[in-house]
């Protein structure tokens, strides 16, 4: 069993920045797929950014050039740096970990972009 705890969400004005963190309760490895998803009200959960195998990354087209995913395996943590935030980025952001074939989700953290 792995627990994922997200933090860093909040209210920010358009054009602002936030950094989300997701800490895993167990050691994670470069081979474990790890990433961020989001779900806006009335919409399906969608991929934001992930690490695939090794250090390869994948981003949604809507966040390319604005968001950056990074990880610190020594701290069992993945981060999402979000810059130039837009109102359409408003959503609950979830951390997802594939750990030796089992999928785990965090509880989510709310990000609201509004003036």
């Amino acid at each position: 069993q792995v627990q994922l705890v997200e933090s860093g969400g909040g209210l920010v004005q358009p054009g602002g920045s936030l950094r989300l963190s997701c800490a895993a309760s167990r050691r994670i490895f470069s081979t474990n797929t790890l990433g961020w998803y989001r779900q806006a009200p009335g919409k399906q959960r969608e991929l934001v950014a992930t690490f695939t195998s090794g250090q390869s990354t994948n981003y949604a087209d809507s966040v390319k050039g604005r968001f950056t995913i990074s990880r610190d395996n020594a701290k069992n943590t993945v981060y999402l740096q979000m810059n130039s935030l837009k109102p359409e980025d408003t959503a609950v952001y979830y951390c997802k970990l594939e750990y030796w074939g089992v999928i785990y989700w965090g509880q989510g953290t709310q990000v609201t972009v509004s003036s």
Side-chain angles (χ1 to χ4, degrees):
Q1 191 78 4
V2 182
Q3 281 75 48
L4 301 174
V5 179
E6 299 112 331
S7 61
L11 173 63
V12 63
Q13 292 187 342
S17 298
L18 285 174
R19 189 175 84 150
L20 305 183
S21 299
C22 172
S25 61
R26 298 187 67 173
R27 183 180 177 186
I28 57 174
F29 301 87
S30 298
T31 51
N32 298 134
T33 302
L34 189 60
W36 291 94
Y37 289 69
R38 68 186 179 187
Q39 188 166 16
K43 295 187 177 182
Q44 290 189 334
R45 192 171 297 188
E46 63 177 2
L47 179 148
V48 177
T50 64
F51 282 100
T52 56
S53 59
Q55 296 299 310
S56 298
T57 57
N58 184 34
Y59 291 91
D61 287 343
S62 60
V63 307
K64 283 180 181 177
R66 300 188 297 123
F67 291 10
T68 302
I69 189 170
S70 61
R71 64 195 291 172
D72 185 339
N73 287 345
K75 296 182 178 180
N76 303 321
T77 301
V78 63
Y79 304 96
L80 184 67
Q81 177 67 45
M82 306 186 294
N83 298 328
S84 302
L85 282 160
K86 304 175 181 180
E88 51 264 43
D89 295 318
T90 295
V92 178
Y93 284 70
Y94 297 91
C95 177
K96 177 186 176 184
L97 169 66
E98 181 176 351
Y99 195 76
W100 311 121
V102 180
I103 302 297
Y104 297 94
W105 291 93
Q107 82 286 355
T109 185
Q110 176 70 46
V111 171
T112 302
V113 185
S114 175
S115 55

